[in-house]
Amino acid sequence: ERKGCSGPGDEPIRLAGSVLNKQRHVCAFFHSREEEYRVMLPFIKDGFDRGEKAFQIVEPRFREEHLERLKTSGIDVTSAEQSGQFELSDWDDTYLKDGHFDTERLLSLVNEVMENGSAQGFPLTRLVGHMEWSLEDRPGVDELLIYESGLNNIAPEYKKNPLICVYDLSKFGGDIVVDVLLGGALARGADDEPAHGRALGLDDLPQPVAFRGVGEPARDADVLRARHVDEEPSRQRHVGGDAGAL
């Protein structure tokens, strides 16, 4: 068993200023790469600092940029890769392996990644995947929503592991965003950092709204209060029930 990774993995996990509770499959929407990294880097680095495994999937042309951003945030990428704590894959080797997307293959990969992390002695595995592969003209990419739904049904013993699907809103059309939102997946930046990540609500495009996990019922306490960052408190609204403010 890997030394230094024997913690229980039940410490609070924060993303965009909120705590991920029981539902840890989240779709995060951002207007730019700068927004994405302002939100995601603290989440990623926290996992490294806590001795958790990181598995990330990026577009091949952004691989070196991604590694550089990790390094500038203080992550020792070389050491983490050598120890097995960090794995970075291109989406041509994962989502679009053999030139096409296959939902069952990817869900099996996710389970395999979680299983391997546990076998290596890591308390958790944080998986982050960029989703623009679904916009390519490849067979199977129309299974995106089936895949997102399937991530809710990973083996119960692995549900504690955060699964973050990252969407670039400058590339996705409103129809796709709405379809993903119908699955109940939202993420946004904290109110005290309004320039950070955003998500879209069905009646609020293109305003930043809320945060919750995929498939999470509206009555669940994990559904957090939605607030337009530019609105006065009197105009605050709720999404899915009364829960703690961001």
Side-chain angles (χ1 to χ4, degrees), residues 22-141:
K22 186 164 55 177
Q23 177 54 259
R24 293 183 173 180
H25 170 208
V26 174
C27 293
F29 297 85
F30 301 99
H31 289 292
S32 70
R33 293 179 63 78
E34 291 304 317
E35 280 190 339
E36 172 197 336
Y37 281 100
R38 282 199 299 270
V39 172
M40 295 303 299
L41 279 176
F43 168 80
I44 292 171
K45 189 173 187 303
D46 180 56
F48 278 97
D49 292 343
R50 287 162 40 161
E52 300 167 359
K53 185 178 178 70
F55 187 93
Q56 297 161 16
I57 305 174
V58 298
E59 184 176 356
R61 67 190 178 106
F62 291 128
R63 182 185 182 90
E64 293 305 317
E65 176 192 339
H66 183 77
L67 288 171
E68 189 60 31
R69 287 181 183 267
L70 296 183
K71 293 175 183 177
T72 57
S73 72
I75 297 171
D76 187 341
V77 171
T78 301
S79 176
E81 286 182 318
Q82 292 174 346
S83 69
Q85 185 183 15
F86 175 50
E87 293 184 46
L88 179 64
S89 293
D90 297 341
W91 67 38
D92 285 340
D93 298 322
T94 51
Y95 294 120
L96 299 178
K97 186 177 180 180
D98 299 325
H100 70 281
F101 178 77
D102 182 273
T103 297
E104 291 304 317
R105 182 181 65 197
L106 259 294
L107 293 176
S108 294
L109 173 64
V110 170
N111 277 281
E112 180 181 336
V113 167
M114 302 305 180
E115 181 178 0
N116 289 344
S118 178
Q120 290 173 290
F122 295 101
L124 289 178
T125 296
R126 300 192 185 200
L127 192 152
V128 177
H130 289 77
M131 306 304 289
E132 287 71 44
W133 55 267
S134 63
L135 299 174
E136 297 200 5
D137 185 16
R138 305 285 190 92
V141 296

